[in-house]
Amino acid sequence: MKKYDFKSIEKKWQTRWEETGAHKAEDYPNKDKFYCLDFFPYPSGEGLHVGHWRGYVLSDVMARYQKLHGKQILHPMGYDAFGLPAENAAIKANSSPKIFTKKAIERFRKQLHQIGAMYDWKREINSSDPDYYKWTQWIFLKLYQAGLAYRKKAPVNWCPTCQTVLANEQVLAGECERCGTKVTKKELTQWFFKITKYAERLLNNLDHLNWPERTKTLQRNWIARSDGALIKFPVVETNLEIEVFTTRPDTLFGATFMVLAPEHPLIQKIIASQHVDEVEKYILKAKQKSDIFREQADRKKTGVFTGAYAINPINQKKIPIWVADYVLTSYGTGAVMCVPAHDLRDFEFAKKFDLPIIQVISDDGHDNPKILPYIDKGVMINSDQFNGLSSEAAKEKITHELKNQKAADFQTNYRLRDWLISRQRYWGAPIPIVYCQTCGEVPVRVEDLPILLPEDVEFKPKGDSPLKQSKKFMQTTCPYCGKTATRESDTMDTFVDSSWYFLRFTDPGNTKVFADKRKIDAWMPIDLYIGGIEHATMHLLYARFVSMALSDLGLLSFDKLGEPFNKLFNIGLIYLHGAKMSKSKGNVVVPDSLVEKFGSDALRGYEMFVGSVDQDAEWQISGITGIYRFLENTWKFSNKIQENESKTSNKNLIQINQTIKKVTEDIENFRLNTAISSLMTAFNFFDTNISKADLAKIITLMSPIFPHFAEELWEILGHNQSIFNSKWPDYDEKLIRVTKNKIAIQVNGKLRDLIEVDSNLGETQIKKISLTSKIQKNIGKQKIIKIIYIPGKIINFVVQ
Ligand code: ANZ
Ligand code: ZN
């Protein structure tokens, strides 16, 4: 008997798959298709560790499983090669991002090959390749023409270490997502994509997606819809009005002052002369602080009085107008009506500056200063004709009343901000815009794409765009008038590259269009998308936006909602010694040596066995040996059957059918760990009374997880076609239903009852069932001193 020589087996099958084009995806699938994708990796210098493998193995298991169900598969792989990680790593390694990325990709490709996945390598893409980023620039131009890309001067998040701006999504708890530095604020002209135009659709469509609830919730909270009212407050002795957005129009009678954000344009127009100096000073200071800092709830409140007053439109009372930095310019209207009795921040502000506090909602219909600020719903008080109403009802009524007087309107706001896409960094796709002295801001002509990234620059970050250093790059001519013009020197956020790559996979070689529409239509939407939870509010939101926008432009039509990812699965993280596996924590297990020692199949198996794939799991260093032994035993067993075939016994047949049912259901529900357990149980149970054909069925069940191993045994069992061209086995429901046994229950040898039980029940279970039968009264208070069980026939209780 041949021994389990995984090295030659795995090499043999990987070569054979490649030579026969086994994983080549059709351009136009003509039957059921299955597009199975992993979030494509950025090629870091560190290479892959076993935590990365987990998702790649899972997606491959699913792709192979679907292939065995006759589906046509698209399972591609590529590299998110532009961006800060590659650039920072290149700086550290004293290399150029281009050379560094090339090397990193080579290493990644080699490691990815070890997985033995059914990737169609002919479709490999690299987002830093001009053939790719040409189309990233093209998509920019499309969005620009549609008014969805624009430039504006805005206070932006600035990372002093990375020396670049960050999108809101890249700021985590006030720190740079990449390097952890405290993010500051800078006033800069930047490029934005108008994702806010899609806020409502991005939110509502979530209801139709087969995504984990947790991820949907993260997106919902990020988009954060709030329903309220826009209310106008006239400014005393002027014809000006201050508009506020409030979610609590029910508290209007309690509005005792207003606060404007320091950036609010009306401040200059209403400020009383004796307050100018103080207000100006305050504004200057506030502008240095980031929004995230300003929003922190536990900060001491600061502010200044403008000397001006407004009229509360509901009761015509005069209220003072203040400036304070806890009001943000980027949300609502940048002005707030302040209700200290019912809002914590307003309450603290009123206490500090001694402003009036009027309670207008109460839990029992009475004033109760001790419970302020009172944030809950309740009964209206101190609110004239609205007294006694529930605050919920008053919300509607007060807004209606003011709407009739044209002083208010219902309004919905979103927290979502436009996506800031320009970066003052080198390693990205140049933004295809030029500035002409005559024509101003002009988009590049499509036929001039790609705008190549120049190489004659020092790419280390200095706070200003490195592209500016290249005269050759910067100097150009205006596409409209032909006069000299300069290029935009910022590059695009890498999330722009990754917002459409899944479309390119359907037609990666196309030089005429970003991808042939028929090919996109044939493969999209993605049937299974696998990646970590960390991209919930970044990549997954951006990609949905770009798909919707391109759909609206008529460039895509595969889904009426424009949604690219039908089903999303979040893979759990791998931990080692209680910490998330990562190079920086020094707790990395690399797959290479495990593959060398135990084989790719054993590692694939352990990746699926280490825990439920939707949960984080602790890596056990020796865990892989259990899987390896299982493969080795299965190997020996199968070879024995091959050499000495017999008929399948009834007992084995039942086990086989039960295992088919169990493994099928487990894979369908992403329970790979229990699928493997069932396979182990089955082989423990089997005796050698099993036919080759029946054994082949069980080998097929193993094949998505252990593809090389299964191919080899399949061949040994006499097949000359790849196992993946065969069919997933069916089970026979009749054979699963277990047979019954009649058991005689005796007490001291006398027959007392007869029961019918499933034949697969063991002694303990039969004992339990017997003790609840009629014999209870025969035993009574007597003590059981011995139980004699004759399997499947008799159970005798000896009592005294
Ligand atoms: C009056 C009021 C009374 C409010 C009350 C709350 C409680 P969400 O739910 O996040 O939409 N607000 C509005 N614009 C703001 C800005 N630019 N900066 C800081 N705060 C702002 O929050 C809406 C509420 O946040 C609004 O409702 C407003 O305060 C405040 F008892 O208006 B409210
Ligand atoms: Zn011009």
Side-chain angles (χ1 to χ4, degrees):
M1 186 192 299
K2 275 203 299 183
K3 80 180 231 302
Y4 173 43
D5 179 4
F6 60 83
K7 255 187 207 153
S8 62
I9 293 173
E10 290 176 1
K11 186 148 179 253
K12 167 181 163 184
W13 287 101
Q14 287 183 13
T15 311
R16 173 124 14 129
W17 291 331
E18 201 170 315
E19 281 171 2
T20 57
H23 304 147
K24 182 180 176 300
E26 299 300 326
D27 283 337
Y28 307 101
N30 53 20
K31 40 181 175 173
D32 257 5
K33 61 96 183 175
F34 190 75
Y35 184 176
C36 182
L37 187 65
D38 300 276
F39 290 16
F40 74 158
Y42 68 82
S44 68
E46 280 115 41
L48 299 172
H49 61 60
V50 295
H52 300 118
W53 257 59
R54 200 181 190 200
Y56 301 146
V57 173
L58 178 64
S59 64
D60 193 54
V61 169
M62 291 309 188
R64 290 182 181 278
Y65 174 78
Q66 293 297 339
K67 169 113 176 132
L68 285 159
H69 281 79
K71 299 252 173 94
Q72 289 196 2
I73 310 294
L74 174 55
H75 188 37
M77 184 40 86
Y79 310 100
D80 192 7
F82 264 149
L84 282 184
E87 196 175 319
N88 288 341
I91 291 165
K92 230 179 172 172
N94 220 351
S95 162
S96 86
K98 191 173 167 178
I99 294 169
F100 173 86
T101 301
K102 192 164 172 277
K103 274 209 198 110
I105 285 181
E106 275 160 20
R107 170 142 164 69
F108 259 65
R109 192 183 289 124
K110 203 169 143 247
Q111 280 193 305
L112 286 163
H113 267 99
Q114 292 179 332
I115 299 172
M118 56 181 308
Y119 299 133
D120 180 354
W121 285 108
K122 295 249 156 47
R123 290 175 187 255
E124 183 190 286
I125 57 179
N126 166 352
S127 65
S128 69
D129 186 337
D131 292 341
Y132 181 90
Y133 72 70
K134 169 180 179 174
W135 300 108
T136 306
Q137 292 172 332
W138 182 85
I139 286 173
F140 176 95
L141 291 178
K142 284 287 164 197
L143 297 181
Y144 182 81
Q145 282 154 9
L148 292 171
Y150 66 93
R151 212 161 63 111
K152 81 168 181 212
K153 197 172 172 122
V156 294
N157 306 308
W158 178 262
C159 173
T161 303
C162 292
Q163 293 273 312
T164 189
V165 300
L166 301 170
N168 286 343
E169 289 83 350
Q170 289 167 316
V171 182
L172 304 180
E175 292 173 357
C176 171
E177 180 228 352
R178 295 284 183 217
C179 72
T181 309
K182 233 189 163 48
V183 171
T184 60
K185 219 172 81 170
K186 225 176 178 180
E187 182 84 23
L188 285 172
T189 301
Q190 296 289 331
W191 284 95
F192 293 86
F193 281 166
K194 211 180 259 175
I195 192 171
T196 52
K197 191 178 164 198
Y198 287 83
E200 193 177 342
R201 278 161 69 183
L202 287 167
L203 190 68
N204 293 344
N205 286 5
L206 285 174
D207 298 341
H208 304 284
L209 299 181
N210 185 1
W211 285 22
E213 267 320 305
R214 188 159 71 117
T215 316
K216 289 199 208 180
T217 303
L218 284 170
Q219 284 211 353
R220 286 195 185 104
N221 293 345
W222 184 258
I223 299 166
R225 177 189 167 119
S226 42
D227 294 304
L230 213 54
I231 303 179
K232 290 177 186 157
F233 288 66
V235 180
V236 171
E237 284 160 16
T238 69
N239 50 10
L240 301 169
E241 282 176 335
I242 297 174
E243 262 193 322
V244 304
F245 171 70
T246 177
T247 46
R248 298 294 305 274
D250 49 321
T251 64
L252 189 50
F253 282 87
T256 52
F257 61 99
M258 301 187 85
V259 169
L260 304 181
E263 299 85 352
H264 201 288
L266 272 188
I267 296 176
Q268 306 309 328
K269 297 192 182 146
I270 62 168
I271 191 168
S273 52
Q274 69 272 33
H275 292 273
V276 170
D277 282 354
E278 204 191 346
V279 172
E280 289 291 340
K281 228 168 63 203
Y282 184 80
I283 292 175
L284 220 62
K285 253 217 219 114
K287 280 189 174 167
Q288 308 301 314
K289 300 171 188 159
S290 74
D291 279 10
I292 293 117
F293 176 75
R294 279 165 56 170
E295 264 189 307
Q296 279 165 10
D298 50 353
R299 283 178 58 225
K300 288 229 160 56
K301 296 286 165 298
T302 60
V304 281
F305 179 45
T306 60
Y309 290 86
I311 302 290
N312 185 337
I314 198 78
N315 57 11
Q316 313 308 320
K317 282 209 178 121
K318 220 171 102 172
I319 58 174
I321 304 171
W322 287 64
V323 174
D325 65 8
Y326 77 87
V327 173
L328 305 178
T329 182
S330 57
Y331 190 65
T333 63
V336 185
M337 65 178 229
C338 297
V339 186
H342 302 290
D343 179 274
L344 180 62
R345 292 179 304 176
D346 299 347
F347 183 79
E348 288 169 351
F349 197 85
K351 280 281 180 206
K352 171 145 186 201
F353 295 105
D354 207 14
L355 293 157
I357 300 174
I358 302 173
Q359 187 180 353
V360 293
I361 294 167
S362 134
D363 54 347
D364 59 0
H366 298 286
D367 275 273
N368 193 349
K370 282 208 199 83
I371 62 165
L372 298 184
Y374 178 74
I375 328 269
D376 269 356
K377 310 174 214 181
V379 186
M380 300 290 291
I381 59 172
N382 301 322
S383 299
D384 294 357
Q385 72 267 38
F386 302 97
N387 284 342
L389 282 179
S390 77
S391 58
E392 285 294 287
K395 246 182 212 180
E396 284 271 323
K397 286 230 156 83
I398 290 179
T399 310
H400 258 297
E401 168 97 20
L402 291 177
K403 190 176 167 164
N404 290 336
Q405 303 164 27
K406 301 219 165 4
D409 209 343
F410 293 93
Q411 161 107 359
T412 298
N413 263 356
Y414 297 90
R415 278 272 160 199
L416 183 69
R417 297 278 78 103
D418 276 342
W419 172 16
L420 198 170
I421 59 122
S422 45
R423 296 288 180 276
Q424 293 69 53
R425 292 287 295 236
Y426 172 70
W427 194 231
I431 294 175
I433 292 283
V434 303
Y435 302 100
C436 166
Q437 284 195 337
T438 317
C439 314
E441 178 185 301
V442 180
V444 164
R445 274 187 307 237
V446 170
E447 50 277 28
D448 295 338
L449 297 181
I451 304 303
L452 290 174
L453 191 60
E455 294 191 23
D456 55 339
V457 296
E458 166 67 74
F459 54 81
K460 283 182 187 136
K462 298 204 179 67
D464 202 4
S465 306
L467 269 52
K468 279 187 187 162
Q469 300 162 23
S470 169
K471 282 210 180 70
K472 234 172 64 207
F473 174 82
M474 291 304 286
Q475 285 174 5
T476 183
T477 50
C478 171
Y480 280 175
C481 71
K483 288 191 201 132
T484 57
T486 50
R487 285 196 190 282
E488 168 63 61
S489 56
D490 285 356
T491 53
M492 282 186 250
D493 180 7
T494 5
F495 282 113
V496 182
D497 309 329
S498 58
S499 69
W500 72 279
Y501 76 105
F502 44 90
L503 302 171
R504 186 71 178 169
F505 274 135
T506 67
D507 191 12
N510 204 318
T511 54
K512 304 253 163 19
V513 286
F514 70 111
D516 186 317
K517 190 152 178 287
R518 286 167 309 156
K519 293 183 187 170
I520 299 175
D521 282 345
W523 281 114
M524 289 292 292
I526 290 167
D527 300 283
L528 176 61
Y529 198 26
I530 295 184
I533 186 93
E534 69 276 11
H535 286 300
T537 59
M538 294 194 270
H539 165 61
L540 290 171
L541 197 60
Y542 299 145
R544 293 180 62 215
F545 155 68
V546 168
S547 288
M548 275 183 209
L550 296 180
S551 297
D552 285 358
L553 293 172
L555 295 163
L556 301 176
S557 57
F558 57 82
D559 181 75
K560 60 181 190 308
L561 297 174
E563 291 289 346
F565 314 129
N566 240 344
K567 166 137 184 94
L568 175 73
F569 187 85
N570 288 127
I571 187 93
L573 295 172
I574 292 291
Y575 280 64
L576 184 65
H577 308 316
K580 184 185 150 183
M581 191 171 282
S582 88
K583 186 87 177 178
S584 62
K585 294 207 178 70
N587 63 346
V588 162
V589 176
V590 287
D592 309 50
S593 53
L594 292 174
V595 171
E596 175 72 24
K597 198 156 164 212
F598 300 100
S600 171
D601 281 328
L603 181 54
R604 289 172 61 107
Y606 185 58
E607 293 278 358
M608 297 294 94
F609 193 63
V610 64
S612 182
V613 283
D614 61 336
Q615 305 287 321
D616 296 346
E618 171 77 21
W619 191 264
Q620 307 292 337
I621 293 293
S622 58
I624 190 172
T625 53
I627 300 287
Y628 179 78
R629 238 173 276 128
F630 165 61
L631 291 178
E632 211 174 32
N633 292 337
T634 306
W635 175 265
K636 284 185 196 146
F637 178 85
S638 305
N639 278 284
K640 233 183 271 163
I641 302 297
Q642 152 65 18
E643 283 157 19
N644 206 347
E645 188 185 14
S646 61
K647 256 189 76 197
T648 305
S649 66
N650 203 44
K651 184 179 132 226
N652 283 341
L653 201 59
I654 290 170
Q655 183 71 33
I656 287 167
N657 280 275
Q658 283 173 339
T659 308
I660 295 173
K661 182 170 165 34
K662 181 73 172 40
V663 172
T664 306
E665 288 170 1
D666 278 350
I667 296 186
E668 294 279 350
N669 293 295
F670 294 81
R671 294 188 300 251
L672 276 301
N673 53 338
T674 58
I676 294 174
S677 301
S678 308
L679 289 164
M680 290 173 163
T681 309
F683 278 102
N684 273 335
F685 178 91
F686 291 146
D687 53 37
T688 48
N689 293 317
I690 204 162
S691 71
K692 283 201 245 177
D694 281 330
L695 178 63
K697 287 186 184 174
I698 301 291
I699 300 300
T700 310
L701 298 183
M702 294 177 70
S703 68
I705 306 168
F706 309 104
H708 316 84
F709 176 87
E711 285 274 36
E712 184 70 14
L713 280 181
W714 183 255
E715 195 178 70
I716 289 175
L717 290 171
H719 304 87
N720 50 20
Q721 282 271 327
S722 164
I723 191 170
F724 297 101
N725 291 331
S726 71
K727 235 180 110 267
W728 190 255
D730 286 326
Y731 54 88
D732 186 344
E733 197 64 73
K734 284 197 297 291
L735 282 169
I736 288 170
R737 255 180 263 132
V738 277
T739 49
K740 299 275 184 185
N741 282 337
K742 275 205 174 79
I743 307 246
I745 309 180
Q746 304 176 341
V747 178
N748 287 346
K750 274 208 192 97
L751 179 68
R752 295 298 184 185
D753 201 357
L754 209 58
I755 53 167
E756 216 178 57
V757 294
D758 290 352
S759 60
N760 61 345
L761 292 189
E763 182 172 350
T764 348
Q765 287 150 311
I766 299 214
K767 233 186 275 175
K768 256 196 220 146
I769 297 169
S770 307
L771 284 169
T772 60
S773 74
K774 278 190 215 150
I775 64 159
Q776 282 173 324
K777 67 173 193 289
N778 300 105
I779 295 178
K781 289 220 165 63
Q782 305 176 83
K783 219 171 112 199
I784 300 169
I785 46 174
K786 200 169 166 193
I787 299 169
I788 302 155
Y789 177 62
I790 303 165
K793 294 203 173 81
I794 298 167
I795 185 159
N796 182 16
F797 294 86
V798 182
V799 299
Q800 214 174 30

